[in-house]
Amino acid sequence: MQKSLFILGRQSTLAFAELESLYPDITLTPIGTSAAIIDTNPTEVNFKRIGGSVKLAAVLTELPTIDWNKIVDYVSTALPEHVTYLPEGKLKLGFSVYGLNITAATINKSALQIKKIIKQSGRSIRIVPNSEQTLNSAQVLHNQLTSPLGLELIFVRNGDKTIIAQTIAEQDIESYAARDQKRPMRDARVGMLPPKLAQIIVNLAVGSKVQSKKDQPTSSVVLDPFCGTGVVLQEAGLMGFAPYGTDLDERMVRYSRDNINWLQQNWSITFDWHLEVGDATSLQWRKPLDAIACETYLGRPFSSLPDQDTLTEVMSDVNLILKRFLQNVARQTDSGFPLCIAVPAWKTPAGFKHLKLLDSLEVLGYTRQSFVHASAEELIYFREGQIVARELVVLKRS
Ligand SMILES: C[S@@+](CC[C@H](N)C(=O)[O-])C[C@H]1O[C@@H](n2cnc3c(N)ncnc32)[C@H](O)[C@@H]1O
């Protein structure tokens, strides 16, 4: 069986947790910090719904060396045979190298050498030049390297060996950008949750147990009780779930409605959805509910670190709202009910400050989920320069 190799995004801990969550019964092997292998055929992976990985590749072989010259020798011998299986026409070839100590210039030189050999075998071929060790998703997409005439070879160092894989799918950056920037209703004040992060949140919530529509007659309901402009709802809908959004602010519910309508029209997709105004600390949600996935209230936004008193006040304010929210959810759900909530953590020179309630989840009726390759505390989405980070808390109702 062919194995799947995932090239992980910027925050590899989130990517590991997401893959573990989606494939709990399949062996996942980290390859350094930039990649992971899963013992499943890449044709069985629905890469479009994965937010934390940037490329999906099929493992071709593993060489017992990290010597670039030997690797190039191998490719020069194996590739002419490999390309005979590709359709007629001009081929496009690209290379991405992870973890091996070589420069882009060396990669380009080797690529030209390989181009010559392929040409001698009678095929016309164009090389996509490297300006760095790796080609990014945009280069793979725009040069059609995952089309029938395209070929991106990925080389990943695995200890003293090198894995060679062929890219099957890359992150669809254009679609993500459109889902993010082209939707009619946005609000910088409530924050801009990247669609990729929303996918990770939904995947961590639903795992492999809550099935999407393609596997059953009616969709499972994913609730976002702090829906804002509806990024989580949009992504849940695209992933085959029935999104249910509630928010304290009537204007936000209107924004979500407009954004969902826009998404359904522009993506030619239909899914069941429901929205209502309500306070997450007291609202009685309608049933059924299959999972909760949300970015909660994050407190006041900060562009620089506030003084200690202000920070303490904001933290305790958010803590109280979220505590009451979790108590409200606990009253309405049964044991095993899954949640992934993105809560704020504040970056200070002494490290991240976490919400106090995270220390009393058991008392509130929840068990925090941990992952083999990412500890619970590592699931923090953070960009340099930010004060308010998002900590992803994955829970099961006890
Ligand atoms: C960080 S924003 C979520 C943004 C959202 N992920 C989006 O896609 O736009 C938090 C949202 O929580 C809402 N909110 C704050 N307190 C709430 C409460 N007690 N119950 C329900 N919603 C609340 C705010 O109106 C705001 O829309």
Side-chain angles (χ1 to χ4, degrees):
M1 182 194 59
Q2 228 172 6
K3 293 181 179 184
S4 299
L5 180 119
F6 293 82
I7 298 295
L8 311 178
R10 189 174 60 89
Q11 290 196 252
S12 56
T13 47
L14 298 183
F16 279 131
E18 181 183 42
L19 293 175
E20 272 186 52
S21 185
L22 287 173
Y23 302 101
D25 305 321
I26 301 179
T27 309
L28 181 152
T29 314
I31 311 294
T33 52
S34 60
I37 285 184
I38 291 188
D39 288 356
T40 194
N41 201 306
T43 54
E44 279 161 30
V45 175
N46 179 4
F47 192 63
K48 275 192 164 57
R49 72 172 276 186
I50 293 179
S53 297
V54 294
K55 289 177 190 172
L56 167 69
V59 174
L60 301 175
T61 191
E62 184 171 55
L63 302 182
T65 181
I66 54 167
D67 179 336
W68 181 246
N69 291 325
K70 287 189 181 152
I71 296 167
V72 173
D73 282 350
Y74 174 84
V75 175
S76 305
T77 317
L79 204 55
E81 153 89 19
H82 186 80
V83 300
T84 58
Y85 299 107
L86 301 181
E88 285 296 307
K90 186 164 187 162
L91 302 172
K92 288 158 286 215
L93 177 65
F95 295 104
S96 282
V97 179
Y98 300 84
L100 292 169
N101 199 13
I102 49 156
T103 62
T106 307
I107 299 172
N108 287 332
K109 218 172 113 202
S110 308
L112 287 178
Q113 202 181 314
I114 291 164
K115 175 180 175 174
K116 236 180 174 173
I117 294 168
I118 304 272
K119 272 190 134 174
Q120 280 163 3
S121 75
R123 297 289 311 242
S124 75
I125 182 162
R126 180 170 70 78
I127 300 284
V128 180
N130 287 63
S131 54
E132 293 175 21
Q133 277 200 329
T134 61
L135 300 176
N136 60 34
S137 301
Q139 289 170 302
V140 176
L141 185 73
H142 295 143
N143 289 292
Q144 300 169 332
L145 292 183
T146 52
S147 70
L149 281 171
L151 182 60
E152 185 194 27
L153 289 180
I154 288 188
F155 303 87
V156 193
R157 181 177 175 164
N158 186 21
D160 55 3
K161 300 187 183 117
T162 302
I163 292 166
I164 306 183
Q166 176 180 350
T167 308
I168 302 292
E170 71 285 345
Q171 218 169 35
D172 191 347
I173 41 167
E174 284 172 1
S175 177
Y176 281 121
R179 264 132 75 188
D180 188 18
Q181 288 149 25
K182 294 213 175 116
R183 58 210 194 104
M185 295 301 178
R186 306 174 81 218
D187 186 322
R189 206 181 39 84
V190 299
M192 298 288 187
L193 180 71
K196 283 188 238 179
L197 183 56
Q199 285 184 319
I200 296 174
I201 293 172
V202 174
N203 282 326
L204 289 176
V206 300
S208 65
K209 297 275 182 318
V210 180
Q211 299 295 312
S212 71
K213 191 177 182 174
K214 72 176 176 44
D215 306 306
Q216 55 180 24
T218 57
S219 308
S220 301
V221 176
V222 174
L223 169 68
D224 180 348
F226 299 87
C227 69
T229 62
V231 180
V232 172
L233 305 178
Q234 283 184 212
E235 296 308 317
L238 285 174
M239 288 157 87
F241 298 105
Y244 173 13
T246 63
D247 198 289
L248 190 58
D249 185 346
E250 184 269 333
R251 194 172 55 106
M252 285 300 135
V253 170
R254 243 185 312 122
Y255 279 19
S256 277
R257 177 170 303 126
D258 289 353
N259 284 335
I260 291 177
N261 281 330
W262 168 85
L263 182 81
Q264 294 203 323
Q265 264 168 26
N266 286 275
W267 264 253
S268 308
I269 183 174
T270 52
F271 48 80
D272 295 333
W273 54 275
H274 181 71
L275 288 167
E276 68 191 74
V277 178
D279 186 334
T281 63
S282 56
L283 182 65
Q284 186 72 38
W285 290 287
R286 67 183 210 176
K287 295 275 172 56
L289 292 182
D290 295 292
I292 287 180
C294 65
E295 176 192 38
T296 66
Y297 174 53
L298 300 177
R300 234 198 288 165
F302 292 116
S303 51
S304 59
L305 190 64
D307 62 64
Q308 186 57 50
D309 288 350
T310 311
L311 185 57
T312 307
E313 188 189 316
V314 170
M315 286 180 72
S316 86
D317 176 33
V318 178
N319 200 71
L320 185 65
I321 292 174
L322 297 191
K323 190 172 157 189
R324 290 190 179 147
F325 155 61
L326 285 177
Q327 285 168 332
N328 187 30
V329 173
R331 284 191 290 271
Q332 299 181 47
T333 51
D334 298 326
S335 171
F337 182 84
L339 305 85
C340 175
I341 61 173
V343 305
W346 291 266
K347 177 85 166 129
T348 74
F352 284 106
K353 278 196 177 288
H354 302 270
L355 282 175
K356 233 171 71 196
L357 73 86
L358 299 182
D359 298 327
S360 50
L361 289 167
E362 293 286 338
V363 183
L364 291 168
Y366 298 91
T367 314
R368 193 165 183 177
Q369 304 299 292
S370 55
F371 298 89
V372 179
H373 303 291
S375 72
E377 295 73 27
E378 282 177 320
L379 300 184
I380 294 190
Y381 181 87
F382 173 71
R383 280 171 191 240
E384 221 38 69
Q386 276 182 340
I387 303 296
V388 187
R390 295 152 170 121
E391 179 163 8
L392 306 198
V393 183
V394 187
L395 302 171
K396 285 253 157 39
R397 176 83 176 82
S398 328

